[in-house]
Amino acid sequence: MRYLLVLTLILLLLAGCATGPRYETTGVATDLVPSEVSASTQDYQGSQVIWGGMIVATRNLADYTELEVLAYPLENNQRPAASRTPQGRFLVRAPGYLEEVSYAPGRRVTVTGTLGEKVQGQVGEAPYTYPLVHARDTHLWPLESRSTDSGSNTRFSIGVGVIFR
């Protein structure tokens, strides 16, 4: 019985360390970036991608939700690294309805899907060619807590006892 309790606690601890999805990259064009696809005359339709970034806009339409995303390189856990140089913009079409309050500008998202046709649009007053991803899966990353302590976003603590401040 005690062994089962310890094993359960270890599994719960490990599950708490999970940080997000880990999409399979077999058959995925991991070297493609949105700015390259946007500027290229080559046809990338049908390519499988895993892209991520910061949501710029969300539009709910009749049959799908469209996200405009400012792309960033992905970290090892496939979270967009917003501290790095942006890689262009792309559009995501996710079937059904995604809540605009949840998928709000500034939120990070990672998307897997198939590249479709390019879509002509604008960024401000400038014309822009967006690569379009027909989403198979989207992962909305949790909001980051704004910590003023040592500048690190990671805080980890295990202990038993009482702390007086």
Side-chain angles (χ1 to χ4, degrees):
M1 181 65 162
R2 187 170 151 183
Y3 173 75
L4 185 60
L5 179 63
V6 170
L7 182 61
T8 302
L9 288 174
I10 289 172
L11 289 175
L12 286 174
L13 179 64
L14 290 175
C17 294
T19 58
R22 185 69 184 141
Y23 297 119
E24 179 60 45
T25 58
T26 304
V28 174
T30 56
D31 57 334
L32 285 181
V33 296
S35 58
E36 176 186 331
V37 173
S38 177
S40 176
T41 57
Q42 185 175 342
D43 184 12
Y44 290 103
Q45 284 191 38
S47 297
Q48 299 296 310
V49 294
I50 300 173
W51 285 350
M54 187 124 0
I55 297 172
V56 175
T58 303
R59 293 176 282 286
N60 279 301
L61 302 166
D63 297 324
Y64 58 88
T65 300
E66 186 173 86
L67 304 174
E68 179 180 344
V69 180
L70 178 60
Y72 286 97
L74 299 179
E75 297 172 347
N76 289 338
N77 63 354
Q78 297 176 333
R79 180 184 179 102
S83 61
R84 297 186 51 201
T85 304
Q87 298 178 319
R89 293 179 184 224
F90 64 98
L91 295 177
V92 176
R93 288 195 180 153
Y97 174 82
L98 298 177
E99 179 55 60
E100 290 180 54
V101 172
S102 298
Y103 287 80
R107 294 290 303 268
R108 291 184 197 184
V109 66
T110 299
V111 178
T112 63
T114 306
L115 283 179
E117 67 281 3
K118 295 178 188 176
V119 176
Q120 298 302 316
Q122 288 187 300
V123 175
E125 297 294 319
Y128 195 83
T129 303
Y130 292 93
L132 175 65
V133 177
H134 294 281
R136 184 175 58 250
D137 192 17
T138 60
H139 179 76
L140 186 63
W141 292 90
L143 290 170
E144 292 181 350
S145 63
R146 301 288 181 222
S147 178
T148 57
D149 55 339
S150 64
S152 171
N153 288 338
T154 304
R155 293 187 64 182
F156 180 76
S157 175
I158 294 180
V160 177
V162 178
I163 298 175
F164 295 99
R165 292 186 182 194

